[in-house]
Amino acid sequence: MTSMIRVGALISGGGTNLQAVIDACEAGETGAQVVFVGSDNPAAKGLARAERHGIPSFVVDYGDIIRRYRQDPAGVHLPSDFDLAEMRAKSRLFPADADEAVVEAFLATRAAAENGLLAAMAAYKFDLLILAGFMRNLTPYFIDRVNTDPEDPRIMNIHPALLPAFPGTDGYGDTYRYGCKLGGCTVHFIDYGEDSGPIIGQRAYKILPGDTLDDIKSKGLKEEWKLYPDCIRLFAQGRLKVVTRTHELPGGKTMTRKVVAIDA
Ligand code: GRF
């Protein structure tokens, strides 16, 4: 076994995925150890999980930054290397008809918050950053500073649906309301879009006729708790490679997409 990789985690809420990852790491199942936990939310219950396991944690209060920006944009400190035009050009978080004032406020507040995350994370060496119920979209400002080698991404996210179906904040609700007969969860590397990056792993569960939304959530979370440690183990083993694949489509068009190839 090669040496353990170091994993940082960002959370927003209860942190049951974080707990599953910590437990799998402590059981020696991943080849990884969790070295810090960060949150955008001072009230995140998952922070207590980190404390119980002796893992250092920090909070960057996104809500506070956004409130202060609304009151007085000049009162929020933007990073000196923040380039709004560059971020606007790179980000794929916004629809084509987005209101540019809203986009600017979003990118500025997130860059200010992300600068805080990066400053706190600088205290730790880490190989992989996992988003474990982190309910904030990350902008290119943050992503480029963590993915220093664009060919070798190292930010993973877990999403509560079988992507590319149902990106966004309510994967289980969307799955339920659509009348799906299978639901699932996905771990992927993040890119500049929302839940759009290369897929690493997926697990599925059956949806039965009487299932409620709560049933779907509870089935889904059980799969998430297995999937995330599995994907971290593959990363720790150096078995995940992002490759670019191009396919010919009917009508002479081509489709190019970055996908994850998993070494046997
Ligand atoms: C999970 O369903 C995860 O897929 C989604 O948010 C939820 C977080 O749950 N992104 P927890 O905080 O890990 O319990």
Side-chain angles (χ1 to χ4, degrees):
M1 182 96 174
T2 47
S3 65
M4 300 254 262
I5 65 153
R6 297 167 60 87
V7 176
L10 297 180
I11 62 168
S12 296
T16 64
N17 275 289
L18 171 69
Q19 187 70 56
V21 169
I22 293 172
D23 291 345
C25 289
E26 288 186 351
E29 291 166 7
T30 59
Q33 57 176 323
V34 180
V35 295
F36 68 80
V37 174
S39 181
D40 62 312
N41 171 16
K45 297 227 164 58
L47 290 167
R49 299 180 190 272
E51 197 182 340
R52 277 203 290 280
H53 289 266
I55 299 167
S57 65
F58 57 84
V59 175
V60 175
D61 189 340
Y62 271 54
D64 180 56
I65 292 169
I66 294 164
R67 271 189 300 279
R68 284 194 286 114
Y69 187 90
R70 279 199 196 116
Q71 278 161 12
D72 175 18
V76 168
H77 171 71
L78 290 178
S80 55
D81 55 356
F82 172 69
D83 179 338
L84 179 66
E86 183 200 347
M87 291 305 119
R88 180 68 186 97
K90 280 184 175 171
S91 180
R92 288 196 279 104
L93 293 173
F94 312 106
D97 60 351
D99 177 335
E100 286 306 313
V102 174
V103 169
E104 182 175 337
F106 180 92
L107 289 171
T109 50
R110 295 323 183 267
E114 290 171 355
N115 194 33
L117 290 179
L118 291 164
M121 286 160 50
Y124 309 94
K125 265 179 48 180
F126 64 96
D127 304 289
L128 171 67
L129 181 67
I130 62 164
L131 311 180
F134 184 66
M135 302 307 283
R136 303 283 183 179
N137 281 312
L138 293 167
T139 76
Y141 182 80
F142 181 91
I143 295 168
D144 289 352
R145 283 160 181 76
V146 176
N147 286 341
T148 42
D149 177 354
E151 299 307 309
D152 217 357
R154 55 181 192 135
I155 311 174
M156 279 184 192
N157 181 42
I158 188 155
H159 181 74
L162 288 172
L163 292 171
F166 311 129
T169 53
D170 193 13
Y172 288 132
D174 291 339
T175 300
Y176 172 66
R177 287 184 290 271
Y178 202 88
C180 295
K181 307 303 183 236
L182 275 180
C185 50
T186 303
V187 169
H188 62 95
F189 285 119
I190 71 156
D191 65 6
Y192 296 148
E194 184 171 27
D195 302 322
S196 56
I199 289 172
I200 300 164
Q202 296 182 301
R203 291 182 70 99
Y205 56 89
K206 282 190 179 157
I207 298 173
L208 303 176
D211 279 353
T212 63
L213 177 53
D214 279 346
D215 293 329
I216 284 176
K217 279 188 186 156
S218 110
K219 287 182 187 184
L221 274 169
K222 287 198 183 100
E223 299 305 325
E224 292 189 37
W225 301 334
K226 293 182 204 140
L227 180 64
Y228 225 164
D230 282 349
C231 293
I232 293 167
R233 180 186 322 111
L234 290 171
F235 184 96
Q237 291 170 337
R239 290 169 60 192
L240 303 178
K241 300 261 171 328
V242 175
V243 296
T244 302
R245 296 248 166 89
T246 299
H247 307 272
E248 305 282 336
L249 299 177
K253 291 195 174 150
T254 58
M255 176 207 167
T256 297
R257 175 155 175 93
K258 287 186 174 179
V259 300
V260 174
I262 303 178
D263 286 350

